[in-house]
Amino acid sequence: MDAVERIVYYEEICDDAMEKVSNLQKALDQYQRILPKFNELKEYYQSPLWRKDRDDDANGVIPQNLKRGILSEDGIWNLLTDEIEVLNRLKDLDASQP
């Protein structure tokens, strides 16, 4: 590879990396902003109040036309699992850097 090809090659890598790092920074900023409310959601999910709401839904107390996916164990469990996976990936990336 001559100098021109090399410069073009690495310039493309740099442009792509700059875009991806910028996107990641934005995503992390958004995650950081939602984190207090997300922690509140986690507390709700682990509380007796969530179990009461879920039982009320099963007993027809909660209106059927109300969006209530939060009462699904699988939905919130998947979200919590995804969060753990993302945080672990970030740790693994950090540990793999020289």
Side-chain angles (χ1 to χ4, degrees):
M1 174 181 319
D2 68 19
V4 171
E5 291 171 326
R6 190 170 40 255
I7 291 167
V8 168
Y9 175 76
Y10 286 114
E11 191 66 28
E12 288 174 1
I13 292 173
C14 183
D15 289 346
D16 193 33
M18 286 173 43
E19 177 188 355
K20 302 310 187 269
V21 169
S22 176
N23 290 343
L24 183 56
Q25 286 174 321
K26 289 174 189 171
L28 288 171
D29 288 344
Q30 292 171 345
Y31 173 75
Q32 197 168 16
R33 281 192 296 275
I34 193 65
L35 196 53
K37 289 198 177 273
F38 189 29
N39 288 332
E40 186 179 332
L41 171 63
K42 292 174 195 178
E43 288 176 21
Y44 168 68
Y45 178 63
Q46 297 172 353
S47 75
L49 189 55
W50 179 84
R51 288 188 263 315
K52 180 189 179 312
D53 291 346
R54 186 192 57 188
D55 292 345
D56 284 351
D57 184 48
N59 293 324
V61 176
I62 306 295
Q64 293 299 302
N65 63 342
L66 181 70
K67 184 177 178 186
R68 58 195 189 288
I70 192 65
L71 300 178
S72 158
E73 286 185 70
D74 290 343
I76 201 160
W77 177 260
N78 291 342
L79 174 60
L80 297 174
T81 302
D82 288 348
E83 180 198 29
I84 290 168
E85 181 180 322
V86 167
L87 294 174
N88 284 335
R89 285 180 66 189
L90 288 171
K91 284 181 195 174
D92 289 346
L93 282 173
D94 185 52
S96 71
Q97 295 302 308

